Amino acid sequence: MPNRKMGRASDQRTAMLRNMVTAFVINGKLETTTARAKEVSAIVEKLITAAVKEKDNFTTKEVTVSAAKLDGKGKKVLTTKTSKNGKKYDVVDREIKTKTVTVDAPSRLAARRDAMYWLHKSHDEEGIVINPVNKLYDEIAPRYAGRAGGYTRIVKIGARRGDGSEMAILEFV
């Protein structure tokens, strides 16, 4: 998808762009060179367009789930069982619950998988795992539902001190 080579081998360039696209979707803002900002912007625009198109293309259904019982502190509840030969052992106590889950339509699933190519899971400051694909579909796509393109803006901020490269801030509109 990218056009510019940016002085890198293709695997390095793809890895760099994936990291930048992920950081931009998670944080909503990115400071980088103008050429990189234009590449990231083109990728993110296509991802948002697909997400807006598929944002309501799913159904919900009830599923029975077997889950471990938890005590007040969030630890699993253990019960002691005796086997046929008389040995005692601990078993995690389980409970059956019904849970409502969303089931993606085939076209939405394909669009989410395309987004997974560019977006990879990350961690925030507390170490909590963030899935940027969920953020893209649950937060960003509904925000731009009525808009026909132009989801990002590039603001040029001048030359970098070290090498004089033109710098820019990429942000959501």
Side-chain angles (χ1 to χ4, degrees):
M1 194 184 318
N3 317 8
R4 295 170 180 84
K5 293 190 178 179
M6 295 184 276
R8 306 241 185 247
S10 61
D11 58 340
Q12 295 173 355
R13 184 171 55 247
T14 304
M16 177 183 67
L17 288 172
R18 282 180 182 170
N19 289 334
M20 293 176 101
V21 168
T22 301
F24 180 61
V25 168
I26 290 172
N27 301 322
K29 194 173 186 180
L30 186 67
E31 184 176 333
T32 183
T33 63
T34 304
R36 291 178 185 178
K38 287 178 181 178
E39 286 297 306
V40 171
S41 176
I43 294 165
V44 169
E45 294 271 344
K46 289 176 182 165
L47 293 178
I48 294 174
T49 300
V52 166
K53 182 180 169 192
E54 299 291 339
K55 73 177 180 62
D56 294 326
N57 197 4
F58 63 91
T59 57
T60 58
K61 72 175 188 177
E62 295 284 326
V63 177
T64 57
V65 179
S66 173
K69 283 187 183 177
L70 303 176
D71 62 4
K73 295 180 181 176
K75 303 280 186 185
K76 294 178 183 174
V77 176
L78 299 175
T79 56
T80 304
K81 300 280 184 177
T82 307
S83 66
K84 292 178 184 175
N85 61 3
K87 292 188 177 182
K88 293 187 184 269
Y89 57 95
D90 289 335
V91 177
V92 176
D93 203 10
R94 302 191 74 76
E95 59 187 348
I96 306 294
K97 297 180 186 177
T98 58
K99 187 176 176 184
T100 305
V101 295
T102 61
V103 179
D104 290 339
S107 60
R108 178 179 163 113
L109 181 61
R112 285 179 69 94
R113 286 184 175 161
D114 290 342
M116 283 182 221
Y117 176 81
W118 289 105
L119 302 168
H120 49 81
K121 290 185 179 176
S122 183
H123 296 84
D124 63 0
E125 297 82 30
E126 290 84 40
I128 299 169
V129 176
I130 298 172
N131 188 347
V133 177
N134 290 344
K135 183 169 182 173
L136 179 70
Y137 278 80
D138 298 340
E139 297 173 26
I140 297 171
R143 188 172 14 161
Y144 296 114
R147 190 177 181 99
Y151 311 114
T152 60
R153 115 175 18 115
I154 298 173
V155 180
K156 295 185 179 181
I157 56 173
R160 185 162 51 195
R161 182 163 182 207
D163 60 357
S165 180
E166 186 69 29
M167 296 297 287
I169 295 176
L170 178 66
E171 58 192 6
F172 285 117
V173 174

